[in-house]
Amino acid sequence: VCKFLIDRGAKLYEEDEYRSFYAFSVLTSAAGMGHVGVCNLLIDRGAKIDLVVDSSRNTALMIASENGHIDICKLLIDCGAKIDLVDKELSALTSAAEGGHINIFELLLDCGADILKYGNEALYIAAFRGHINMCKLLIDLGVEIDLLRSGYGLTPLMRAILMDHID
């Protein structure tokens, strides 16, 4: 169905009149659902890899990283996705931490993601979500354990306690 719709002229990127209710582009939607073939088709047909739709502030790589779709992450990176593209403090690296996906986190590091720039936010998010193995990895990589998160005044430990992640 996707190929048929694209062949008939369906838009591959979001213009103001085509913004979806959920504010995802067609590529971020396919990436989030884990549809490698559809992502490949969309990219081949000219979908914008690093498009950020206003209200979600996520790229396809961020969505695939958070949802654990490593094959899509590899595809997007191979096609030139910007690994350290960021909105506020969120990046593909912090998205992988949010999902607890160590394999994707390590892939992003291997591809040049900046642990010094995004490691503290990744630790805060991993503690918030209760991803203990991600927290271990980040601390082993040298991320500062007691840094206060700007704007919130909480450390990763404080956030883990507030979210009842006591293990």
Side-chain angles (χ1 to χ4, degrees):
V1 173
C2 293
K3 184 179 181 315
F4 170 79
L5 293 171
I6 292 167
D7 286 345
R8 295 302 187 270
K11 300 262 185 214
L12 302 184
Y13 51 89
E14 304 298 327
E15 296 173 0
D16 288 337
E17 68 267 25
Y18 293 104
R19 296 208 188 242
S20 70
F21 176 76
Y22 297 105
F24 292 105
S25 71
V26 292
L27 185 58
T28 57
S29 296
M33 295 300 294
H35 300 305
V36 178
V38 175
C39 288
N40 207 7
L41 175 65
L42 291 168
I43 292 166
D44 286 347
R45 298 291 180 92
K48 297 176 183 178
I49 293 175
D50 289 321
L51 179 68
V52 176
V53 180
D54 292 339
S55 61
S56 72
R57 307 306 303 167
N58 290 308
T59 64
L61 182 58
M62 290 176 186
I63 295 291
S65 296
E66 183 177 345
N67 288 297
H69 302 305
I70 194 162
D71 291 338
I72 294 174
C73 292
K74 289 176 182 178
L75 171 67
L76 293 167
I77 292 167
D78 289 346
C79 291
K82 296 175 186 165
I83 294 170
D84 282 334
L85 189 65
V86 66
D87 179 61
K88 299 181 183 170
E89 297 171 344
L90 303 178
S91 66
L93 203 61
T94 59
S95 295
E98 184 162 5
H101 304 295
I102 291 175
N103 58 342
I104 293 174
F105 194 90
E106 290 174 336
L107 169 71
L108 294 167
L109 289 177
D110 290 345
C111 292
D114 191 347
I115 188 70
L116 296 175
K117 190 170 184 180
Y118 304 113
N120 291 318
E121 184 65 15
L123 179 58
Y124 184 87
I125 290 171
F128 172 75
R129 295 292 184 198
H131 299 306
I132 191 164
N133 290 329
M134 183 65 73
C135 291
K136 287 177 185 176
L137 173 64
L138 287 159
I139 291 166
D140 289 347
L141 289 170
V143 172
E144 188 177 336
I145 195 168
D146 288 323
L147 189 68
L148 290 173
R149 185 174 188 217
S150 60
Y152 292 92
L154 299 171
T155 65
L157 174 60
M158 292 172 185
R159 194 60 171 148
I161 290 168
L162 292 171
M163 295 305 295
D164 205 25
H165 299 303
I166 56 173
D167 54 332

